[in-house]
Amino acid sequence: SIPQALKCPTKQSMPSNSAATNSTESGITRSGPTQPHEAVIVQQRLSLGLLREELPNVRQIHDLSQLEAAEENFDPTSFDILIALEAGYSDSEILELIGAAKSEDAEKEVRPATLAASFSKVVGSDESRRRIFIPESEDELRRFLEGDLEGWRVFLHPDQRRIAYRDYNGPVLVRGGAGTGKTVVAMHRAKYLADRLAADPARAGERVLFTTFTTNLAYDIETNLRTLCPEHLGRPTPRIEVINLDRWVSQFLKRKKFGRNIAYFGDERERLDQLWREVFEDRGIPEGLTEEFVRAEWSQVIQARGLMTEKSYFKVSRAGRGTPLDRTKRAALWAIFSEYRARMIDAGLAEPDDAYREAVEILSSEAPNLPYNAVVVDEAQDMGEQAFRLIRAIVPVRPEGDQNSIFVVGDAHQRIYGRKASLTACGINVRGRSRRLRLNYRTSEEIRNWAVSILEGVQVDDLDEGLDSLSGYKSVFRGPAPTLVGYSSEDEEVAGLIDWLRDLEHTGTQLADIGVLVATRFLSDKIATRMAGAGIATVRLQPSQPDDRSIPGLRISTMHRAKGLEFQAIAIPFLSHASFPPAAALRAAVDDVDRRNILQQERSLLHVAATRAKRFLRVSWSSEPSKLLMIS
């Protein structure tokens, strides 16, 4: 519903003059025990920046749908103010959003004094920045023009800029729904920190570590940073180092002569599977449990929490694990875990969490000698406790304080890998320095609304020790409603997809701006074959390669690989009950609680896939639709 400050009171609903006077004297401008006098509401709107001549239009607005339909009747800033009121922003937040007020801690931007100064006299205000791109220097202008307008992929709005370009007295957490610009804010944060290093000769050789969860995201981020600030990514000594955390750990431990290989995938993972089978053959499985449960307990409790002793296992909370374990079963399980760990060490192997702990121990025992002045973390929701303990060890609390040390962005609604962690528990204190982005600049309101509906009933954490929600999360533009369509057969479904793609081409959308996202690599192969048969050029997005949009062709990707990307149009086919969630994912569930967690993870994956779309979203299935789809 629309907040009281946005509603238009009528004469019949106005309180008496005495009530209005009390409201004014107490400073009440929003809804309260009595409705404020119209003059109070009008004064509030004017103070926020609404144009007086637009007040008659405001009086005609009684709900969100009417406001959105009347967008063209308002000045852009006035419309943004009204949307922000509807989203629940406070007056001070709205003033910051439109650039009419400064935050408590003044920003300290590093800007060249030539072109930027000239622009600022004419169009350099924060309000102007909401509508047009303003280069900060001649070199930046040239890069953006010569880069085929790639600069728009790293453009900041004023509310985002205030978060990125300022100093903080400690670690910072930035949360926000899909499309609110968290990664762009993180990239600008890295630029701001690198600019400070460049301006201080005493910090020559220091750098900013920008890390994320997967290799492909790191590639995509580095590509965009080369558009934003190429001067900070030059070799051999870049001021910003972009690398996913697993790769960083591997390189660090290799330099430290770590004697085991980290089993990320391939033959080494298969060898770990063999070690588990050997342990189960020798020790058996406690009554009432399964191999899948034991391995999940190892991964989600022992490794995730870094437990190294039986005593610590007896004391640890297993909240969220479902199947209860008494002391006898925990003792039996610890014997299995100890045996597996010993065999893994004998085989010269380590799991990623082992590598994180080993790196932390090395960093804790040595005098700090890493070149990093700060760490920026993207996609934090997919990182576990051991990863964040390592991040804290990479940039420990300095004697002079923890200023600007760690900058974390993430959204637990987009958690697609199932790892959770509390920043505070890992030594990263963000209390009082948590920020939230609520305006979606990428996805239309219609697509955002449908994507959020997928998460109905899902409860998520706030990446620390509280809960998060998407309350107040809104998009700033409208578009066509998502297309949801079912077919009697898979062949008909693919034929319908091909027709949709050709219609988009005929209306001017390039194939390179369209993505087809599927749940598994098998389905990716299937759709690529069918597109080739229809004469449609395709590009298969690979896990460790960036998406070069200069290469023509329809983008085909798994939903996981599409994380961090965006397209004008997205199609998500093969969402039948038999195909999604994938049967293999559900078979991995060890109990009812685990099954619910897996289903929640699959909901998040579908939510992520849908929010890659800017204007057009097409969801399809054959036979019966997936139970995870919100089909009315």
Side-chain angles (χ1 to χ4, degrees), residues 444-513:
S444 72
E445 176 66 10
E446 288 76 7
I447 294 173
R448 182 210 63 80
N449 188 57
W450 186 83
V452 169
S453 74
I454 296 297
L455 300 177
E456 184 176 344
V458 172
Q459 189 177 73
V460 304
D461 59 275
D462 65 355
L463 307 180
D464 200 24
E465 296 182 346
L467 296 177
D468 196 9
S469 78
L470 293 174
S471 173
Y473 171 47
K474 300 290 181 182
S475 295
V476 298
F477 68 93
R478 302 299 299 263
T483 300
L484 312 178
V485 56
Y487 296 90
S488 60
S489 71
E490 194 174 275
D491 286 342
E492 291 181 4
E493 181 183 358
V494 175
L497 172 59
I498 291 171
D499 289 342
W500 180 75
L501 293 170
R502 287 175 173 157
D503 286 343
L504 283 177
E505 276 195 287
H506 291 157
T507 56
T509 304
Q510 301 295 315
L511 282 177
D513 289 327

Side-chain angles (χ1 to χ4, degrees), residues 297-312:
E297 184 78 0
W298 165 264
S299 174
Q300 298 176 26
V301 179
I302 306 302
Q303 289 288 68
R305 301 296 299 275
L307 306 181
M308 301 301 291
T309 66
E310 184 180 48
K311 182 179 180 180
S312 63

Side-chain angles (χ1 to χ4, degrees), residues 276 279-280 283-286 294 332-340:
W276 276 116
V279 171
F280 290 139
R283 291 198 170 267
I285 302 171
V294 175
L333 285 173
W334 187 257
I336 293 175
F337 298 148
S338 298
E339 179 71 17
Y340 170 69

Side-chain angles (χ1 to χ4, degrees), residues 509-559:
T509 304
Q510 301 295 315
L511 282 177
D513 289 327
I514 306 172
V516 177
L517 310 184
V518 292
T520 65
R521 290 184 182 180
F522 171 77
L523 293 176
S524 177
D525 294 339
K526 178 184 291 188
I527 203 70
T529 300
R530 298 296 296 272
M531 293 299 109
I536 297 176
T538 62
V539 173
R540 303 284 296 278
L541 300 186
Q542 302 300 324
S544 59
Q545 298 176 4
D547 179 16
D548 183 354
R549 293 292 173 89
S550 67
I551 302 175
L554 173 72
R555 267 47 184 176
I556 298 176
S557 171
T558 63
M559 297 183 196

Side-chain angles (χ1 to χ4, degrees), residues 2-246:
I2 303 296
Q4 191 70 45
L6 185 54
K7 290 182 177 178
C8 300
T10 62
K11 291 182 179 180
Q12 291 79 5
S13 65
M14 289 183 191
S16 66
N17 288 338
S18 61
T21 301
N22 290 337
S23 296
T24 303
E25 291 175 350
S26 64
I28 297 173
T29 57
R30 293 180 182 271
S31 58
T34 60
Q35 180 172 306
H37 191 281
E38 181 179 21
V40 177
I41 297 178
V42 167
Q43 185 58 43
Q44 181 214 16
R45 293 168 177 162
L46 293 176
S47 69
L48 290 174
L50 285 171
L51 301 178
R52 183 175 293 277
E53 56 267 30
E54 291 182 336
L55 289 176
N57 291 333
V58 176
R59 291 189 177 94
Q60 304 304 313
I61 304 300
H62 299 285
D63 57 37
L64 178 60
S65 61
Q66 290 181 357
L67 172 61
E68 291 169 334
E71 177 177 0
E72 294 184 358
N73 297 332
F74 293 100
D75 167 81
T77 298
S78 295
F79 181 77
D80 287 348
I81 291 170
L82 296 174
I83 284 289
L85 282 169
E86 196 283 332
Y89 278 61
S90 67
D91 290 0
S92 60
E93 287 175 325
I94 294 172
L95 291 174
E96 286 196 36
L97 175 67
I98 65 174
K102 294 291 184 182
S103 57
E104 291 185 7
D105 297 317
E107 300 170 24
K108 297 179 180 179
E109 297 189 37
V110 181
R111 295 187 180 182
T114 53
L115 185 64
S118 300
F119 265 104
S120 65
K121 294 179 181 179
V122 184
V123 293
S125 68
D126 279 335
E127 180 176 342
S128 298
R129 288 178 176 276
R130 298 178 61 76
R131 299 293 172 232
I132 60 176
F133 164 66
I134 303 173
E136 303 286 3
S137 67
E138 288 87 347
D139 287 341
E140 187 176 74
L141 174 61
R142 186 178 302 109
R143 288 202 308 270
F144 279 56
L145 293 177
E146 294 176 354
D148 215 9
L149 296 184
E150 282 294 302
W152 289 110
R153 298 174 71 178
V154 294
F155 176 68
L156 274 189
H157 288 266
D159 51 330
Q160 300 166 330
R161 177 173 288 273
R162 284 182 179 79
I163 293 174
Y165 286 84
R166 53 162 292 185
D167 292 326
Y168 296 94
N169 289 326
V172 179
L173 170 63
V174 179
R175 296 177 290 118
T180 54
K182 296 181 299 299
T183 298
V184 178
V185 168
M187 289 191 291
H188 277 266
R189 181 63 180 173
K191 177 184 183 299
Y192 173 67
L193 295 171
D195 287 345
R196 289 169 56 88
L197 294 178
D200 186 351
R203 293 179 173 177
E206 294 185 26
R207 65 181 68 170
V208 177
L209 176 64
F210 195 125
T211 190
T212 187
F213 187 68
T214 65
T215 302
N216 59 274
L217 284 172
Y219 277 109
D220 293 335
I221 288 166
E222 183 169 4
T223 298
N224 287 327
L225 278 171
R226 290 190 182 280
T227 298
L228 176 65
C229 51
E231 67 276 13
H232 294 316
L233 282 87
R235 299 296 178 185
T237 55
R239 293 190 189 93
I240 302 176
E241 177 183 342
V242 185
I243 188 171
N244 75 298
L245 199 58
D246 283 344

